[in-house]
Amino acid sequence: MDAFYASVEQRDNPSYRGKPLVVGGSPNQRGVVAAASYEARKFGIHSAMPSITAFAKCPGLIFVKPRFDVYREISAAIHAIFKRYTDLVEGVALDEAYLDVTENKQNIPHASTIARHIKTAIFQETQLTATAGVSINKFLAKMASGQNKPNGLTVILPEQAIAFVEQLAIEKFHGIGSVTAVKMHSLGIHTGADLKGRSLTELTHHFGKAGNYYYKIARAEDDRPVEANRVRKSIGAETSFAQDLNDVGQSYKNSTRLPKLLSNG
């Protein structure tokens, strides 16, 4: 989905449309940006940025509190659209999912056609836009989905896969974060072609088990299946406090969020 939380707020409040907007906490209370509209992104604002930093970049920025109940309801409706085509749907977040349409319920021969149908249905039924990436595995599909936002559709054909990966800047790779990218740069790895030139032994030496993943994606290989019933293996939460705290016990006292998460097992 395109700027999902922010787009929902702009859909539901016409006065927000066309304006820089973020969903997140107030800059006066050390909030954090959960999502930024495309108008806000033009100012260099992005998710996980402190709200006070976002406000400094754009003094006219609109701050909206998140409505996760609404986002979950819309996400469920979108997943229902997916299920019209395949039951192999792996949700990554409320606004993102992988679909395996190798065999699909409507016997449509081309995945790009299915993607167009899904995009149209999402817009007609939710008035929101989605960007799709189509390819032969999860890594390439994810990379394709980031090529033509918003409201885009990018297809990476099998014969295009190697060339696409080789020209890709290393910091654009899904699964390579900013810290790892800096380390790769220090090793002279700047593009997919550079990464492909390194041996499995070298990559595992520098990056441990992740080296095997990097070795494969540099060759456009990804054998991970779409897991419709993926088991959650971890859960995380963070809390921003009004003032800096130096005592762990005080942080527990000031946070109601962590105990609630723990009580859910």
Side-chain angles (χ1 to χ4, degrees):
M1 300 303 294
D2 298 322
F4 184 46
Y5 302 166
S7 294
V8 170
E9 300 304 333
Q10 289 179 317
R11 182 198 69 174
D12 293 350
N13 190 329
S15 67
Y16 293 158
R17 295 173 190 171
K19 298 178 181 178
L21 172 148
V22 300
V23 175
S26 167
N28 299 323
Q29 298 178 345
R30 303 183 72 177
V32 176
V33 174
S37 70
Y38 285 97
E39 294 85 358
R41 295 182 190 188
K42 293 177 182 179
F43 292 88
I45 297 168
H46 55 78
S47 61
M49 174 180 286
S51 296
I52 192 168
T53 303
F55 183 71
K57 289 177 175 289
C58 179
L61 191 61
I62 299 170
F63 288 85
V64 180
K65 292 183 178 180
R67 299 182 296 153
F68 288 109
D69 55 338
V70 175
Y71 309 148
R72 281 191 288 267
E73 181 180 347
I74 297 170
S75 178
I78 293 168
H79 276 250
I81 294 172
F82 297 157
K83 292 297 182 70
R84 297 173 195 169
Y85 297 88
T86 177
D87 289 324
L88 291 176
V89 178
E90 179 181 333
V92 179
L94 291 179
D95 62 341
E96 184 176 0
Y98 291 107
L99 284 69
D100 186 337
V101 295
T102 308
E103 296 179 4
N104 60 86
K105 295 179 180 179
Q106 301 193 26
N107 296 316
I108 297 173
H110 301 295
S112 57
T113 303
I114 295 174
R116 282 192 289 270
H117 287 185
I118 289 175
K119 280 168 50 63
T120 298
I122 288 173
F123 184 74
Q124 289 177 342
E125 297 175 34
T126 72
Q127 292 75 57
L128 299 169
T129 62
T131 295
V134 178
S135 197
I136 55 176
N137 59 46
K138 291 169 79 171
F139 170 72
L140 289 171
K142 173 65 176 178
M143 291 295 91
S145 72
Q147 296 301 300
N148 194 23
K149 278 185 167 286
N151 198 24
L153 170 58
T154 299
V155 179
I156 301 175
L157 298 172
E159 60 269 25
Q160 299 170 330
I162 295 295
F164 174 84
V165 172
E166 287 183 343
Q167 60 80 37
L168 199 64
I170 208 68
E171 54 269 26
K172 298 292 186 181
F173 275 60
H174 179 58
I176 296 180
S178 57
V179 174
T180 301
V182 169
K183 184 175 180 178
M184 287 191 173
H185 288 168
S186 71
L187 296 170
I189 302 172
H190 299 278
T191 67
D194 295 332
L195 185 61
K196 185 180 177 184
R198 304 305 173 97
S199 68
L200 177 59
T201 300
E202 183 179 1
L203 291 175
T204 54
H205 170 73
H206 288 291
F207 303 102
K209 292 182 180 180
N212 184 59
Y213 172 73
Y214 301 151
Y215 181 83
K216 287 184 176 181
I217 60 174
R219 290 157 178 76
E221 298 173 4
D222 184 2
D223 55 6
R224 295 173 299 159
V226 171
E227 299 181 274
N229 298 303
R230 186 174 65 173
V231 177
R232 185 185 298 275
K233 296 182 179 179
S234 65
I235 188 167
E238 59 184 50
T239 300
S240 296
F241 300 104
Q243 294 85 30
D244 290 339
L245 300 178
N246 297 316
D247 181 80
V248 173
Q250 189 71 11
S251 70
Y252 277 93
K253 182 179 179 181
N254 283 272
S255 173
T256 58
R257 192 177 184 189
L258 186 57
K260 288 181 179 179
L261 281 173
L262 292 176
S263 68
N264 290 330

